[in-house]
Each structure stands twice: as C-alpha cells, then as structure tokens.
Amino acid sequence: MQTDMFMTYAEQALDVGVMGTLVLMSIVTLWLFIERMMFYKSVRIEDYAHRDNLELDLTDNIGVISAIGANAPYVGLLGTVVGIMITFYTLGDLGAVDAKKIMVGLALALKATAMGLIVAIPAIVAYTIVLRKVERILTKFDVAHEEV
C-alpha cells in the first residue's frame, strides 16, 4: 500500500517535473525568439561605429535558444528512463507480468521523449532563423561601412 502511494507520487512528480521543464523551455524559446525578431526590426546599423559592438547586441540571448534546442531531447530522455524504471519497479513489486500494464507504462514514459523532440525541433529552427538574421544585418553593416 505504501509502495503504491510512493509510485503514484513518483509518476506524478515525473510528469509535472519533466513536462513542466519542457513547457518552460518552450516558453523561454518562444519569448526569446520574439524578442530577438523585434530587436532586429528596430536595430539601426548607423548607430554603431564598430562591428563588434553591433555583433554583441545582435547575438544577445541566442545561445540560450541553442542550449534549449540541444538539451530538450535529453530532458525528455531523462523522463523516459525514469518512467521506464518506475514501470519496471511497479511490475517487480506486483510480482506478476501484465502485458497491459507494461505497454501503458512504456507508452506513458515515451511521451517525455516525444515532448523533448517537440520542444527541440522548433528551438533549433528558431536558432537558425535568428542566426541568419544576424548574418544579414552584419553584412549590411559591412557594406555600409566599406571603404571604396
């Protein structure tokens, strides 16, 4: 009885912890992407005397988008591994092999990996778009400051 309550709590904590983390990562990515796009629309290259200062301003926070894209699958994988461990522990505790319980447990565990990929793919796309915008603005700066 005590083990059942612990396992139920562990499953809920896993769900809330991993899924909550992935939702937070997704929100941060979207927020930073929108913020960067708004900044790029308003940036005035003529306000910058040095290319390096412009590049520093253009690349603020894009490392966070990249880090989220790179690490979201691992957060999802962690959720899957812990979910599978909980499933096997529950089966071992019951002392019987129930195919339905195994399949349901594994399916629920795999949703964490799917969610990790759902967060990572748009984050990498956003990072690529932002990086391309930075390159374009820096090229416009170079052309505008080119000495003939």
Side-chain angles (χ1 to χ4, degrees), residues 46-116:
E46 56 272 2
D47 291 344
Y48 292 88
H50 299 286
R51 184 183 199 274
D52 292 341
N53 290 334
L54 174 61
E55 188 170 356
L56 285 171
D57 285 350
L58 292 175
T59 57
D60 272 349
N61 296 323
I62 67 171
V64 176
I65 298 171
S66 174
I68 288 172
N71 290 298
Y74 295 117
V75 173
L77 186 59
L78 175 65
T80 298
V81 169
V82 173
I84 290 171
M85 289 170 54
I86 290 170
T87 299
F88 286 149
Y89 183 85
T90 303
L91 289 172
D93 193 43
L94 292 174
V97 176
D98 181 6
K100 182 180 177 186
K101 249 192 184 328
I102 293 172
M103 293 304 132
V104 169
L106 294 178
L108 291 176
L110 287 171
K111 77 178 178 185
T113 298
M115 186 66 175

Side-chain angles (χ1 to χ4, degrees), residues 20-40:
T21 300
L22 289 168
V23 167
L24 179 64
M25 291 170 88
S26 182
I27 291 168
V28 168
T29 299
L30 182 62
W31 174 69
L32 289 174
F33 178 73
I34 291 170
E35 184 274 330
R36 289 286 82 197
M37 289 295 114
M38 290 172 60
F39 175 74
Y40 297 154

